[in-house]
Amino acid sequence: MALISTENIWVFIFGILGNISSFVVFMAPIPTFYRIWKKKSTDGFQSLPYLVALFSAMLWIYYASLKSDAFLLITINSFGCLIETIYIAFYITYAPKKARMSTLKLLLSLNFMGFSTILLLSHFLAKGSTRIHILGWICMTFAFIVFVAPLSIMRLVIRTKSVEFMPFNLSLFLTISAIAWLFYGIFLKDLYVAIPNILGFIFGFLQMVLYGIYRNKSKSVMVKGAQLPQQHSIDMTKLSTITSTSEAQPKTECKEQNVDQSGRIKESLGSNPITACEV
C-alpha cells in the first residue's frame, strides 16, 4: 500500500499519532455533556464551539478528499464530524427554546449554507491544483483563528494565578496533537497542514509552562476567592468568539463558580481539537 510504503512511513507514523491525540481531544467535552444530560439543561453553555468544530472537520475532509495521500486526515475528521454532530444533537435536545433556535439557525447558515457555498464555488470556479490551493488557504486561515483561542485562556490563568481553568492533560494532548500534525504536514510536504500547527505547538507549550508556574497557587486562589469583589469574577464572554460563554450570572460561592467556569473552559478546549487534524 502506498500509505505505508517506505518513503511515506513517517507520514503514516505521525498521522497515526495525530489521529490518537486528536481522538482524545475530540472526546474531552464528554464530561460536559454528561453533566448536561444529568441536569437536563445546557446550563448556560453555548453551541458555537461545536458548530465551529464540525465546520472545520467538514472543510478538512473536503480538502483531504482532493489529495491522494491524505487518508489519515479523512479518518480523524470523519470521527470529528460524527462526535460533534452528537454533541450538537445533545445540545439541541436540552437547550431552552431561544438557544435551540439560535443553534439551528447557525447550523443552517454555517454548516450547510456556508459549506455548500465553498463546495460549489470551488468546484465550478477552480480546477485541479488551483482548487486544492484555494481550499488549503481557507482551511489554514480558519485554523489560525481557532488557534488564537488559547490566548484568552492563558490570559485568564495569568490574571487569576490559577490553572483551575486550564487542565494540564488537555493542554498536553493539544500540544502532542499539534506536534504530530506539524510533522505529518512536513513529511507530506503539505504546508497548509504544517504551518498552522506551528502556532498550535507554541500555544500548547506556553500553556504547559503556565501550568508549571501557577499549579501550586490554585488552592490559595480558591481560598481567597470568596473575598473577592464582584468585578473580579471571570467574564466568560471575553474568552473568544469560538469558546463557550455563560448566559447566566456567575455564582457568588467561590467553589461553585470555579467548578462551573472550569467546565466551560474544558468545553471550549475540547471543541477545537481541530487543533491539529482539523488544523
Side-chain angles (χ1 to χ4, degrees):
M1 292 176 60
L3 181 65
I4 56 175
S5 63
T6 304
E7 62 182 23
N8 288 331
I9 187 65
W10 291 110
V11 173
F12 178 75
I13 290 173
F14 283 108
I16 292 295
L17 180 60
N19 271 249
I20 294 172
S21 56
S22 295
F23 174 84
V24 174
V25 176
F26 271 126
M27 299 297 284
I30 286 182
T32 295
F33 281 91
Y34 177 73
R35 174 184 171 184
I36 288 174
W37 174 73
K38 286 197 70 175
K39 297 182 69 174
K40 301 295 186 290
S41 169
T42 53
D43 196 29
F45 290 109
Q46 290 191 351
S47 59
L48 185 59
Y50 310 102
L51 295 169
V52 170
L54 176 60
F55 182 68
S56 178
M58 293 165 66
L59 282 176
W60 283 107
I61 289 174
Y62 180 34
Y63 171 78
S65 68
L66 298 178
K67 299 170 66 71
S68 60
D69 49 3
F71 175 74
L72 292 174
L73 275 178
I74 295 176
T75 56
I76 188 58
N77 283 290
S78 296
F79 173 76
C81 283
L82 174 63
I83 194 67
E84 297 300 336
T85 300
I86 294 173
Y87 292 154
I88 293 168
F90 254 86
Y91 185 90
I92 291 173
T93 301
Y94 294 110
K97 183 177 180 180
K98 183 177 180 181
R100 183 184 302 118
M101 295 306 298
S102 176
T103 297
L104 290 172
K105 289 178 182 178
L106 282 170
L107 183 66
L108 180 63
S109 60
L110 178 65
N111 298 88
F112 287 96
M113 295 181 63
F115 181 76
S116 296
T117 300
I118 293 173
L119 180 68
L120 293 173
L121 290 178
S122 63
H123 180 76
F124 290 107
L125 299 182
K127 301 295 181 182
S129 61
T130 302
R131 183 189 304 166
I132 293 176
H133 290 311
I134 290 175
L135 281 172
W137 276 104
I138 293 173
C139 292
M140 188 168 65
T141 301
F142 196 83
F144 278 127
I145 295 173
V146 169
F147 279 131
V148 168
L151 284 175
S152 296
I153 298 168
M154 292 161 63
R155 184 179 61 182
L156 185 65
V157 170
I158 295 172
R159 181 177 151 197
T160 62
K161 294 180 170 51
S162 170
V163 295
E164 193 71 21
F165 317 106
M166 189 178 67
F168 178 79
N169 289 341
L170 190 53
S171 297
L172 176 63
F173 276 100
L174 286 169
T175 305
I176 293 173
S177 181
I179 293 172
W181 292 111
L182 169 61
F183 282 100
Y184 176 85
I186 289 174
F187 285 109
L188 192 62
K189 296 180 175 63
D190 190 331
L191 295 180
Y192 300 118
V193 175
I195 291 177
N197 283 287
I198 297 174
L199 192 62
F201 165 72
I202 293 172
F203 285 148
F205 178 76
L206 290 177
Q207 285 184 57
M208 290 192 292
V209 170
L210 285 176
Y211 188 92
I213 295 173
Y214 293 112
R215 62 175 180 170
N216 294 325
K217 300 182 180 180
S218 297
K219 291 184 179 179
S220 61
V221 169
M222 289 184 65
V223 171
K224 296 177 181 178
Q227 302 175 355
L228 294 176
Q230 183 66 28
Q231 64 263 29
H232 290 286
S233 62
I234 305 304
D235 185 358
M236 300 302 295
T237 61
K238 294 181 180 179
L239 289 182
S240 77
T241 57
I242 63 168
T243 55
S244 57
T245 57
S246 174
E247 296 175 355
Q249 292 294 324
K251 298 186 181 298
T252 55
E253 291 188 41
C254 179
K255 182 177 179 181
E256 289 184 10
Q257 183 185 45
N258 282 330
V259 172
D260 192 50
Q261 291 163 352
S262 177
R264 287 177 172 79
I265 294 298
K266 292 177 184 178
E267 173 200 25
S268 66
L269 286 176
S271 70
N272 293 312
I274 280 184
T275 351
C277 55
E278 307 163 58
V279 190

